[in-house]
Amino acid sequence: MIKLHARLEKRLDAEPFVARVARGRGGGRGDLREVQFVDGQDEPSPGYGGYLLAEGLEEGPWAARPDAWPIPEALGHLSDGDVVRISPRSGELWVMYRRGSTSNSMLLTERCNSYCVMCSQPPRDVADDHLVRSYLEAIPLMSRETNELGITGGEPTLLGDRLLEIIRKCRDHLPETSLHMLSNGRMFNYLSLSREVAEIGHPDLMIGVPLYSDLPHRHDFVVQADGAFDQTIRGLMNLARCGVSVEIRVVLHRQTVERLPQLARFIARNLPFADHVALMGLEMMGFVRMNLEPLWIDPADYRPQLTGAVEHLHRRGMNVSIYNHQLCVLDRGLWPFARKSISDWKNEYVDECVACAARDHCGGFFASSSLRRSSRIRPLTPDMIPPESATSPTLSATP
Amino acid sequence: MPTALPVLNDRFRPVERFAARPGRDYTLLPMRLISLDAGRHVLTNFAGEYVVLPKETTRRLVRHELDTASDVFEELLSRHFVSVGGSDAALDLLAVKYRTKQSLLAEFTSLFMFVVSLRCDHSCPYCQVSRQSLDRHAYDMKPDVADRAVDFMFRSPSRALKVEFQGGESLLNFPLIRRIVERVESRNLAEGRDVQFVIATNLAPLTDEMLDYCRVHEIVISTSLDGPRELHNQNRPRPGGDSHKLAVRGIRRVREALGHDSVAALMTTTAASLAQPREIVDEYVRQGFSCVFLRPLSPYGFAVKTGLARKYAADEWLEFYRAALGYIIELNLAGTPFREEYSSLILRKMLTPFPTGYVDLQSPAGLGIAGLIFNYDGDVYASDEARMLAETGDRKFRLGNLAVDSFEDVMTSDALIDVLSETMTEGVPMCVDCGFQPYCGSDPVYHHATQGDVVGFKPTSDFCRRNMGVMRHLVRLLEDDERAASVLETWI
Ligand code: SF4
Ligand code: SF4
């Protein structure tokens, strides 16, 4: 697992700042908004806003400079083009963006108006305005070649105008980057907010909104908020009406799988305008740890519901994907829908996977799944792997 | 019932404590019902979702006596047959679904049929319109009429325009087809509509030059295939004989020149067809088609009136339909994917939120507002059947003539508007309460021709009897026959 936070020496006289990492020959532009990564191979050169000294250089002549920090070995992964925030007074370095990663996302606030029973990032009612400020500085430093960038929380819509500012900044500085925002959708119940987001005219924005049940009270229960179902449904309709792409996300656990086929039917009937439906495995983080027994269900035990839901949606022309599931717990017919979705700094494999012929196609596990994972993980043999031609979704009438 | 045990950490509220949870009472949302069989009802909501309930359960439902903690109540809540105090998103969703279901209305007329000639080389007994004539000009569409028809068509706001050439035998006037195609194409350079051309033909007069032209202009072909050779030839006599052979050879040539899927076939169920459901399906499979449309014979045209074709009862057709459908389902289960199109249309209405463009199952009727037909002489009719009816002397559905009437005149004529508004199934006797209303339609031409009234008396209408039969059969298959349902689900 890649470390995104590290401690540095404290420097009480310097302000926090956001900077792009320059590393290696030809790296960076030698600009004050950059910090140079100095290791044994390259000489530090003047003109940067700061210097990060790799292990072994902490005794050298540069170490004495106020704008140079020895960094721990765990930050050796820092690459040219990454964006970091350095807080000298508290002695913290935070890797905000990794140029080589396919799953960069911006956590804009920890506050939330829901309190989902399985939240992997439990909300905290804290003053975290610095997050938006930092990202507003970081976005212009990110590579224009970034394929995809996420916005998460907490609930980003609680930021109101500052969220709009972030989206605008992405539109202006990263016009070729898909922007994917996770939101509970409740604030889009206000048509005005949906309109404002639409009017920014971001070229490639999609909003992923969770829906946990076809029955209002069951959805409200999962997100622990009265009236949330109605708000989310109206939010989805408002977004669609304003022409904003939406994705529906369903986290699968014991409280949601039982009615999964009914939920699939509900989505196909009522929300056919959704651009994508993601059916997602449970990440054993946050509140899941405190609600483990009422939430945990072995994915191998909900195969019929999952297969039924995917078939139903697929036949009705909906674009559907399965996230965070190991191939060996899915019915064969569902493999073409499974995506390798676990963020690169979170995924792992287990002993069984060593001998598995499907490893390259399989997304593996969240690191957090050491807490609990399917009891039916089995390595697959080569004859069980479908030929390349089977990569596009096809389901037979009688699976 | 979903179980919440073992319990959540106590900082979370259990499901019982949420306000949207059904209390003891509930509100009924708009719904209709119809008996499925002795013990069950089919209930449909406003937007075309259905549930099948034991009759006793329906009674408890409408008396507000249903247990709101039961599974069946949750189904009704999920599908918007009822709503409960704590949540009213159902109403918004129903509104959006209803709008989706009716969305084709906003598109307006998209199908335009051009009768380029009434002449024909065949003499099918059930054909209402064709003429054997030496005087080629008497029954061919004139170029100035064709030009006006094209201008008329572009008055429709529809983004998609389908131009279908009809006859008689349309290919007997190929020069006019070319004129129309080219005029449409040149106008469309500026209009940018999604235009599609179809030639309906028996394929007998097809030449290689015509095929070349079709390839260049991306024209697809629709032809007739009534079944195996003997049946087809019996239905479609032709001087010189063997219409079947010409059709099969034509289909092959079209596929070679234009691609496998550029030819579709239509069948007409005659009295002779009724005994041969399997043979007809087998012939379609043998000729490489992936579907068949089991179309009943129009029972009011020329042929029936003159006694040349035997009329048959709706129940006879239904028996034929069920046998053919059963056979098709077996074929699918044995590994040959093949669809029956009439069923597919209705299944799409039952199982998806989307409408179908099929003209005969619309309310308001598809007359004029889904499709229009330009006769060779410039008369504008509300549908192909309306034109056929006119050939037997009844010009009730003639909406005007291109020489004197504009698009606006025709589309706002009383002859059209009165019929559309009077016959909407949402409000006519029997349909108003019918559980199949969301899937059905009004067929004013049919009812006028058979019962002398555009609304029609549904208890004795074969149109109604046939559709009820098809819909009951499909619901039963979906509910009671898992194997059949697994096939039907793939046809949407
Ligand atoms: S054994 Fe491991 S790599 Fe193979 S499918 Fe299962 S989880 Fe994936
Ligand atoms: S025509 Fe018959 S089946 Fe159709 S809606 Fe009317 S009553 Fe029902």
Side-chain angles (χ1 to χ4, degrees):
Chain A
M1 195 149 145
I2 288 167
K3 259 188 103 66
L4 300 177
H5 288 271
R7 300 225 63 96
L8 304 178
E9 280 171 29
K10 293 186 184 177
R11 304 272 160 85
L12 297 176
D13 52 351
E15 292 301 316
F17 65 101
V18 174
R20 179 169 49 214
V21 174
R23 183 174 184 179
R25 242 170 267 285
R29 300 176 200 154
D31 157 333
L32 279 174
R33 293 191 308 167
E34 290 177 330
V35 288
Q36 190 187 14
F37 188 102
V38 184
D39 56 16
Q41 293 166 18
D42 295 302
E43 280 302 302
S45 41
Y48 288 101
Y51 300 88
L52 301 176
L53 308 177
E55 266 204 308
L57 298 175
E58 55 278 85
E59 303 300 330
W62 282 77
R65 290 180 58 135
D67 58 353
W69 285 269
I71 53 167
E73 193 183 359
L75 286 183
H77 65 78
L78 279 177
S79 310
D80 191 59
D82 290 358
V83 178
V84 296
R85 183 177 195 268
I86 295 173
S87 314
R89 272 192 287 250
S90 56
E92 285 167 337
L93 183 145
W94 165 31
V95 184
M96 301 178 73
Y97 163 86
R98 293 197 310 123
R99 186 177 172 178
S101 168
T102 52
S103 51
N104 281 295
S105 78
M106 306 186 282
L107 188 154
L108 296 184
T109 176
E110 291 191 75
R111 283 170 294 152
C112 191
N113 51 351
S114 293
Y115 202 72
C116 304
V117 296
M118 70 299 175
C119 183
S120 60
Q121 184 76 51
R124 295 198 304 154
D125 199 3
V126 291
D128 51 13
D129 301 358
H130 68 280
L131 291 171
V132 170
R133 277 201 309 275
S134 303
Y135 277 114
L136 286 172
E137 284 182 60
I139 290 165
L141 301 177
M142 296 178 185
S143 163
R144 282 178 80 110
E145 277 149 37
T146 308
N147 280 325
E148 186 177 316
L149 186 61
I151 294 178
T152 67
E155 174 49 42
T157 57
L158 296 181
L159 295 165
D161 289 348
R162 283 172 306 150
L163 171 64
L164 302 177
E165 239 179 284
I166 290 271
I167 300 173
R168 240 177 258 125
K169 210 106 218 144
C170 291
R171 176 199 64 190
D172 295 343
H173 292 274
L174 301 169
E176 266 135 61
T177 302
S178 313
L179 189 58
H180 188 278
M181 172 162 105
L182 293 179
S183 162
N184 62 35
R186 294 171 60 190
M187 296 293 279
F188 293 110
N189 177 41
Y190 296 102
L191 184 59
S192 54
L193 179 65
S194 306
R195 274 217 186 100
E196 283 167 334
V197 167
E199 278 162 9
I200 293 174
H202 189 286
D204 188 2
L205 168 68
M206 182 182 280
I207 303 187
V209 175
L211 188 67
Y212 295 119
S213 181
D214 56 323
L215 300 178
H217 66 285
R218 291 211 56 90
H219 174 87
D220 289 359
F221 159 68
V222 173
V223 307
Q224 293 280 304
D226 277 315
F229 178 86
D230 284 22
Q231 292 169 345
T232 295
I233 289 292
R234 292 203 172 96
L236 285 165
M237 291 197 283
N238 282 341
L239 287 168
R241 196 166 141 189
C242 297
V244 179
S245 302
V246 293
E247 170 192 66
I248 292 171
R249 296 167 79 88
V250 188
V251 179
L252 305 178
H253 53 68
R254 197 147 142 188
Q255 303 296 335
T256 57
V257 291
E258 215 158 337
R259 289 191 71 83
L260 184 60
Q262 288 91 336
L263 177 58
R265 188 190 65 209
F266 179 91
I267 291 170
R269 265 287 176 180
N270 294 279
L271 309 166
F273 50 79
D275 299 86
H276 185 219
V277 179
L279 304 173
M280 325 203 326
L282 190 61
E283 189 176 0
M284 308 307 256
M285 298 270 283
F287 288 155
V288 175
R289 291 168 178 265
M290 129 186 349
N291 290 321
L292 188 59
E293 296 314 322
L295 295 183
W296 170 257
I297 174 169
D298 192 321
D301 290 335
Y302 59 68
R303 281 161 90 140
Q305 288 97 323
L306 183 57
T307 302
V310 171
E311 278 183 9
H312 189 95
L313 291 163
H314 177 62
R315 284 197 184 125
R316 282 154 185 80
M318 300 205 68
N319 181 10
V320 48
S321 301
I322 301 171
Y323 287 169
N324 316 341
H325 280 72
Q326 299 75 43
L327 290 182
C328 55
V329 300
L330 295 177
D331 285 337
R332 291 288 174 281
L334 296 194
W335 285 10
F337 299 91
R339 311 277 171 259
K340 285 177 75 168
S341 52
I342 299 174
S343 310
D344 53 357
W345 52 276
K346 284 181 178 173
N347 77 331
E348 291 188 349
Y349 295 88
V350 298
D351 289 348
E352 287 89 335
C353 307
V354 175
C356 179
R359 212 192 120 134
D360 288 347
H361 306 282
C362 177
F365 296 84
F366 284 118
S368 60
S369 66
S370 55
L371 183 64
R372 186 78 60 96
R373 60 180 169 87
S374 173
S375 63
R376 271 153 284 174
I377 299 299
R378 298 283 178 275
L380 303 168
T381 52
D383 57 297
M384 299 162 92
I385 313 298
E388 283 307 315
S389 61
T391 47
S392 70
T394 44
L395 283 171
S396 61
T398 46
Chain B
M1 282 297 297
T3 43
L5 294 172
V7 290
L8 297 169
N9 178 293
D10 59 15
R11 71 164 83 172
F12 300 94
R13 285 187 283 159
V15 66
E16 297 75 28
R17 299 258 301 278
F18 284 85
R21 188 174 174 79
R24 279 214 310 283
D25 201 15
Y26 49 85
T27 307
L28 295 173
L29 296 173
M31 68 178 94
R32 296 183 167 88
L33 60 92
I34 188 166
S35 173
L36 179 63
D37 48 32
R40 296 180 295 175
H41 283 130
V42 186
L43 279 70
T44 50
N45 74 7
F46 213 53
E49 280 153 289
Y50 79 81
V51 282
V52 172
L53 294 184
K55 288 185 174 169
E56 183 46 37
T57 308
T58 317
R59 270 177 226 122
R60 287 213 309 277
L61 167 68
V62 298
R63 289 184 193 135
H64 293 254
E65 291 168 4
L66 206 56
D67 175 5
T68 57
S70 60
D71 287 351
V72 63
F73 185 82
E74 294 200 332
E75 282 316 291
L76 292 163
L77 188 59
S78 169
R79 297 184 200 225
H80 304 148
F81 286 83
V82 293
S83 69
V84 294
S87 168
D88 55 9
L91 297 177
D92 293 21
L93 289 170
L94 270 176
V96 169
K97 283 187 275 194
Y98 192 64
R99 223 173 98 131
T100 304
K101 190 171 152 50
Q102 301 292 359
S103 55
L104 285 181
L105 281 178
E107 277 289 299
F108 219 59
T109 319
S110 62
L111 170 65
F112 294 88
M113 289 168 280
F114 291 66
V115 179
V116 290
S117 174
L118 274 196
R119 288 179 294 131
C120 187
D121 57 334
H122 279 57
S123 45
C124 310
Y126 54 77
C127 178
Q128 286 93 329
V129 296
S130 75
R131 294 289 180 281
Q132 311 282 322
S133 172
L134 294 176
D135 176 4
R136 46 184 311 134
H137 300 298
Y139 295 110
D140 280 5
M141 184 181 269
K142 308 274 181 303
D144 63 312
V145 172
D147 293 353
R148 260 184 241 126
V150 170
D151 294 343
F152 188 100
M153 174 177 84
F154 275 103
R155 295 287 303 146
S156 170
S158 176
R159 274 170 300 180
L161 297 174
K162 186 168 171 180
V163 178
E164 188 172 314
F165 299 105
Q166 289 263 2
E169 171 46 50
S170 57
L171 292 183
L172 295 180
N173 194 3
F174 200 71
L176 192 76
I177 291 181
R178 297 174 62 141
R179 182 185 178 100
I180 293 169
V181 166
E182 281 151 39
R183 194 173 168 94
V184 169
E185 282 175 345
S186 79
R187 271 212 62 168
N188 202 42
L189 289 177
E191 295 270 356
R193 314 278 188 108
D194 175 12
V195 174
Q196 201 194 338
F197 296 106
V198 184
I199 298 178
T201 165
N202 64 35
L203 295 173
L206 184 70
T207 66
D208 288 342
E209 291 70 40
M210 291 174 184
L211 278 173
D212 271 348
Y213 188 83
C214 289
R215 194 183 54 246
V216 172
H217 295 270
E218 294 178 22
I219 302 171
V220 298
I221 303 294
S222 161
T223 190
S224 304
L225 182 66
D226 283 352
R229 183 164 176 184
E230 205 179 319
L231 176 64
H232 181 97
N233 284 344
Q234 185 186 336
N235 283 351
R236 299 175 183 269
R238 175 178 181 278
D242 218 344
S243 165
H244 181 263
K245 193 169 159 192
L246 287 171
V248 168
R249 189 191 297 155
I251 289 166
R252 202 182 52 234
R253 284 172 65 208
V254 174
R255 283 180 174 154
E256 277 163 13
L258 310 178
H260 189 90
D261 295 328
S262 49
V263 56
L266 270 179
M267 61 123 355
T268 299
T269 314
T270 61
S273 312
L274 295 174
Q276 306 189 34
R278 284 172 177 245
E279 291 78 358
I280 292 169
V281 172
D282 283 339
E283 177 67 12
Y284 267 73
V285 174
R286 190 179 315 125
Q287 299 305 335
F289 290 104
S290 58
C291 60
V292 64
F293 195 140
L294 299 174
R295 206 166 51 132
L297 176 66
S298 302
Y300 49 87
F302 193 69
V304 171
K305 277 197 178 154
T306 53
L308 283 170
R310 180 175 82 81
K311 193 171 157 177
Y312 49 81
D315 286 351
E316 289 179 80
W317 180 85
L318 274 172
E319 201 180 311
F320 162 81
Y321 162 80
R322 283 191 293 256
L325 186 66
Y327 181 58
I328 291 170
I329 289 170
E330 289 309 321
L331 282 180
N332 279 275
L333 289 168
T336 306
F338 191 83
R339 276 175 296 126
E340 196 286 304
E341 276 297 298
Y342 196 65
S343 311
S344 300
L345 288 168
I346 291 171
L347 287 164
R348 224 167 283 147
K349 292 179 177 226
M350 289 177 167
L351 301 176
T352 83
F354 302 111
T356 72
Y358 183 61
V359 179
D360 292 351
L361 292 178
Q362 309 284 346
S363 176
L367 285 187
I369 58 174
L372 274 176
I373 184 159
F374 306 118
N375 208 5
Y376 70 98
D377 57 4
D379 279 350
V380 181
Y381 290 98
S383 74
D384 198 18
E385 286 74 19
R387 162 205 47 157
M388 293 182 180
L389 200 60
E391 296 299 332
T392 68
D394 181 347
R395 310 219 300 171
K396 163 100 178 158
F397 301 98
R398 180 184 169 276
L399 304 178
N401 188 288
L402 291 169
V404 289
D405 298 305
S406 69
F407 182 82
E408 289 73 12
D409 292 338
V410 167
M411 299 315 281
T412 59
S413 63
D414 290 347
L416 181 61
I417 304 289
D418 285 354
V419 172
L420 294 180
S421 55
E422 278 166 19
T423 59
M424 284 181 64
T425 54
E426 285 81 355
V428 306
M430 198 151 138
C431 302
V432 68
D433 292 322
C434 172
F436 293 134
Q437 187 277 339
Y439 313 132
C440 201
S442 80
D443 193 337
V445 181
Y446 182 98
H447 288 108
H448 167 79
T450 56
Q451 298 185 324
D453 173 57
V454 287
V455 171
F457 182 62
K458 300 297 155 61
T460 58
S461 153
D462 270 3
F463 170 86
C464 175
R465 194 168 180 82
R466 201 171 62 229
N467 283 318
M468 261 192 201
V470 168
M471 291 168 194
R472 276 209 179 93
H473 188 60
L474 291 173
V475 171
R476 276 199 211 115
L477 290 177
L478 290 172
E479 292 296 303
D480 303 338
D481 184 342
E482 234 175 273
R483 294 170 72 239
S486 74
V487 172
L488 297 181
E489 269 267 321
T490 64
W491 292 1
I492 57 175

